[in-house]
Amino acid sequence: MFQLKASGTDAKTEVISGFTTFLTMVYIVVVNPAILSAAGVPFNTVFMATIISTVIGTLWMALFANYPIAIAPGLGMNAYFVTVVTTQKLDYSIAFAAVFVAGVIFLLLSLTPIREKIITAIPHNLKAGITAGIGLFIAFLGFRMTGIIVQNNSNLVGLGDLHSAEALLAIIGLFVTLILLALNVKGALFIGMIITAIISFFTGELKFTDGIIKLPPMPEFIFTNPLHAFGDVMTHGLYAVILSFLLITIFDTTGTMIGVAKKAGLMKGESLPNAKQALLADAVSTTIGSIFGTTPTSAYVESSAGVATGGRTGLTTLTVSILFLVSAFFAPLVGAVSSISAITAPALIIVGSMMIGAVKEINWDSLDEAFPAFLVILAMPLTSSIAIGLAFGFISYVILKIFTKKWHELNGFLIAIAFLFFILVAFLPH
């Protein structure tokens, strides 16, 4: 079913890769409810909705697309959701109605060739820039979440306190994992996380104060009649909100899929085989997730950690979806492990170093090709947004091609995407 031999992998490797991806992204089941609670959404509601949407999207990716790319509610979209609720003084159920309508439109677009055309429309040099940019993005995330790099008033970012327990543990975990990789130990990233977790337990950082197992709360419907969602959107005029959800989700997921797929060697030339099913995964999970109470889903950059461990097929994401389902019964354990960033950060930093190698594919001798790719690489980590990085790249690419009189290298679809990105950056909240 998963064509393991044809993909040059085996069941053991895929399962280990699934565990690796799961451990690097499971924080979302705790972080997402914590963020959305600021909009008044009950913690247990978001907790179960996060798991449901993640399982549905990731399982779809596993069974229908056969890709090792996991799906879960995207960070950034949940913060934007809170902003919409608080600034417009809406009930959170009304805001979820906007998410649902955006999900339905997203689903309809995914059934057309439009999203597949976006993938093929992205020039080769920008694709390489996306992979490298995502690499820097997740490496920077790993340094930041452990306090190795911190906010600095004089220079935006600076060196953190390397004597702190979190930073020390992350540095130890980083070098343990690097040594395992240098020794060609199979599953080094996953083993490194396990060793770091054991160290954190014996140093007193990892604590299980609330036990390990707890029965999950029953999922709840935010609204029972989907037709009411469309009525709520029209009544409150949430059209700009829907457009923001739609554009950011489309391009964020597309960029992540391209970056991770290139790292896994899944791209065939400039296209992604079976792209429609892969792109349907987040559309389906976004639509269903909004009914239960969570924000739009996206392909997760942390999937690259599982790919680096050897994941190449849907068996990796099947493992991820099963683990997320099981996590509903182990909320205290998940909460304890995901609270220690040093356990997963080393894997993100190392995978980032692997992905930055894509810069060698960029034609640095041609400014109109190189500079847009450079903007993608620079903007993704600095703005913490894959979509904004793509926007800078697309807009500058089209402008440079126009003024260097290389019209033949552009097409209407490419120009339309650049125009949508211009609207996103210039006029919509993000």
Side-chain angles (χ1 to χ4, degrees), residues 130-160:
I130 291 167
T131 303
I134 289 175
L136 280 185
F137 175 45
I138 63 174
F140 179 66
L141 179 64
F143 280 117
R144 192 181 65 187
M145 63 198 288
T146 53
I148 295 175
I149 291 177
V150 296
Q151 184 176 350
N152 183 295
N153 291 330
S154 61
N155 193 39
L156 295 182
V157 294
L159 186 65

Coordinates of all heavy atoms in Angstrom, one line a residue, residues 130-160:
I130 N 12.9 28.3 -1.1 CA 11.9 27.9 -0.1 C 12.4 26.8 0.8 O 12.3 26.9 2.0 CB 10.6 27.4 -0.8 CG1 9.9 28.6 -1.5 CG2 9.6 26.7 0.1 CD1 8.8 28.1 -2.5
T131 N 13.1 25.8 0.2 CA 13.6 24.7 1.0 C 14.7 25.3 2.0 O 14.7 25.0 3.2 CB 14.3 23.7 0.1 OG1 13.3 23.2 -0.8 CG2 14.8 22.5 0.9
A132 N 15.6 26.1 1.5 CA 16.6 26.7 2.3 C 16.0 27.6 3.4 O 16.4 27.6 4.6 CB 17.6 27.5 1.5
G133 N 15.0 28.4 3.0 CA 14.3 29.3 3.9 C 13.6 28.6 5.1 O 13.7 29.0 6.2
I134 N 13.0 27.5 4.7 CA 12.3 26.7 5.8 C 13.4 26.1 6.7 O 13.2 26.0 7.9 CB 11.5 25.6 5.1 CG1 10.2 26.2 4.5 CG2 11.1 24.5 6.2 CD1 9.4 25.2 3.7
G135 N 14.5 25.7 6.1 CA 15.6 25.2 7.0 C 16.1 26.2 8.0 O 16.2 25.9 9.2
L136 N 16.3 27.5 7.5 CA 16.7 28.5 8.5 C 15.6 28.8 9.5 O 15.8 29.1 10.6 CB 17.0 29.8 7.7 CG 18.4 29.9 7.0 CD1 18.6 31.3 6.4 CD2 19.5 29.6 8.1
F137 N 14.3 28.8 9.0 CA 13.2 29.1 9.8 C 13.1 28.1 11.0 O 13.0 28.5 12.2 CB 11.9 29.0 9.0 CG 10.6 29.1 9.7 CD1 10.5 30.1 10.7 CD2 9.6 28.3 9.5 CE1 9.3 30.3 11.4 CE2 8.4 28.5 10.1 CZ 8.2 29.4 11.1
I138 N 13.2 26.8 10.7 CA 13.1 25.8 11.8 C 14.3 25.8 12.7 O 14.2 25.5 13.9 CB 12.7 24.4 11.3 CG1 13.9 23.8 10.4 CG2 11.4 24.4 10.5 CD1 13.6 22.4 10.0
A139 N 15.5 26.1 12.1 CA 16.7 26.1 13.0 C 16.6 27.3 13.9 O 17.0 27.2 15.1 CB 18.0 26.2 12.1
F140 N 16.2 28.4 13.4 CA 16.0 29.6 14.2 C 15.0 29.4 15.3 O 15.2 29.8 16.5 CB 15.6 30.8 13.3 CG 15.4 32.1 14.1 CD1 16.4 32.7 14.7 CD2 14.1 32.7 14.2 CE1 16.2 33.9 15.4 CE2 13.9 33.8 14.9 CZ 15.0 34.5 15.5
L141 N 13.9 28.7 14.9 CA 12.9 28.3 15.9 C 13.5 27.5 17.0 O 13.2 27.7 18.2 CB 11.8 27.5 15.2 CG 10.6 27.0 16.1 CD1 9.8 28.2 16.7 CD2 9.7 26.2 15.2
G142 N 14.3 26.5 16.7 CA 15.0 25.6 17.7 C 15.8 26.4 18.6 O 15.8 26.2 19.8
F143 N 16.6 27.4 18.1 CA 17.5 28.2 19.0 C 16.6 29.1 19.9 O 17.0 29.3 21.0 CB 18.4 29.1 18.1 CG 19.6 28.3 17.6 CD1 19.8 28.1 16.3 CD2 20.6 27.8 18.5 CE1 21.0 27.5 15.8 CE2 21.7 27.1 18.1 CZ 21.9 27.0 16.7
R144 N 15.6 29.7 19.3 CA 14.7 30.6 20.0 C 13.9 30.0 21.1 O 13.8 30.5 22.2 CB 13.8 31.3 19.1 CG 13.1 32.6 19.7 CD 12.2 33.2 18.6 NE 11.1 32.3 18.2 CZ 10.2 32.5 17.3 NH1 10.4 33.6 16.5 NH2 9.3 31.7 17.0
M145 N 13.4 28.8 20.9 CA 12.5 28.2 21.8 C 13.2 27.6 23.0 O 12.6 27.3 24.1 CB 11.7 27.0 21.1 CG 12.5 25.9 20.6 SD 11.6 24.9 19.4 CE 10.4 24.0 20.4
T146 N 14.6 27.5 22.9 CA 15.4 27.0 24.1 C 16.1 28.1 24.8 O 16.8 27.8 25.7 CB 16.4 25.9 23.6 OG1 17.1 26.5 22.5 CG2 15.7 24.7 23.1
G147 N 15.9 29.3 24.3 CA 16.6 30.5 24.9 C 18.0 30.6 24.6 O 18.7 31.5 25.2
I148 N 18.5 29.9 23.6 CA 19.9 30.1 23.1 C 20.0 31.4 22.4 O 21.0 32.1 22.5 CB 20.4 28.9 22.2 CG1 20.4 27.6 23.0 CG2 21.7 29.2 21.6 CD1 20.7 26.4 22.2
I149 N 19.0 31.7 21.7 CA 18.8 33.1 21.1 C 17.6 33.7 21.7 O 16.5 33.1 21.8 CB 18.7 33.0 19.5 CG1 20.0 32.5 18.9 CG2 18.2 34.3 18.9 CD1 19.9 32.3 17.4
V150 N 17.7 35.0 22.1 CA 16.6 35.7 22.7 C 16.4 37.0 22.1 O 17.2 37.5 21.3 CB 16.9 35.9 24.3 CG1 17.0 34.5 25.0 CG2 18.2 36.6 24.5
Q151 N 15.3 37.7 22.4 CA 15.0 39.0 22.0 C 16.0 40.0 22.6 O 16.4 39.9 23.7 CB 13.6 39.4 22.3 CG 13.2 40.8 21.8 CD 11.7 41.1 22.1 OE1 11.0 40.2 22.6 NE2 11.3 42.3 21.9
N152 N 16.5 40.9 21.7 CA 17.5 41.9 22.1 C 17.0 43.3 21.6 O 16.8 43.4 20.4 CB 18.8 41.5 21.6 CG 19.9 42.5 22.0 OD1 19.9 43.6 21.7 ND2 20.9 41.9 22.8
N153 N 16.9 44.2 22.5 CA 16.4 45.6 22.1 C 17.3 46.3 21.1 O 16.9 47.1 20.3 CB 16.2 46.4 23.3 CG 15.0 45.9 24.2 OD1 14.1 45.3 23.7 ND2 15.1 46.1 25.5
S154 N 18.6 46.1 21.3 CA 19.6 46.8 20.4 C 19.8 46.2 19.0 O 20.1 46.9 18.1 CB 20.9 47.0 21.1 OG 21.5 45.7 21.3
N155 N 19.6 44.9 19.0 CA 19.8 44.2 17.7 C 18.8 43.2 17.4 O 19.0 42.2 16.7 CB 21.2 43.5 17.8 CG 21.7 43.1 16.4 OD1 21.5 43.8 15.4 ND2 22.3 41.9 16.4
L156 N 17.5 43.4 17.9 CA 16.4 42.5 17.6 C 16.6 41.1 18.3 O 15.8 40.6 19.1 CB 16.1 42.3 16.2 CG 15.6 43.5 15.4 CD1 15.3 43.2 13.9 CD2 14.4 44.1 16.0
V157 N 17.7 40.4 18.0 CA 18.0 39.1 18.7 C 19.4 39.1 19.2 O 20.3 39.9 18.7 CB 17.8 37.9 17.7 CG1 16.4 37.8 17.3 CG2 18.7 38.1 16.5
G158 N 19.7 38.3 20.2 CA 21.0 38.2 20.8 C 21.2 36.9 21.4 O 20.3 36.1 21.5
L159 N 22.4 36.6 22.0 CA 22.7 35.4 22.7 C 22.0 35.4 24.0 O 22.1 36.3 24.8 CB 24.2 35.2 22.8 CG 24.7 33.9 23.4 CD1 24.4 32.8 22.4 CD2 26.2 34.0 23.6
G160 N 21.4 34.2 24.3 CA 20.7 34.1 25.6 C 21.6 33.6 26.7 O 22.9 33.6 26.5

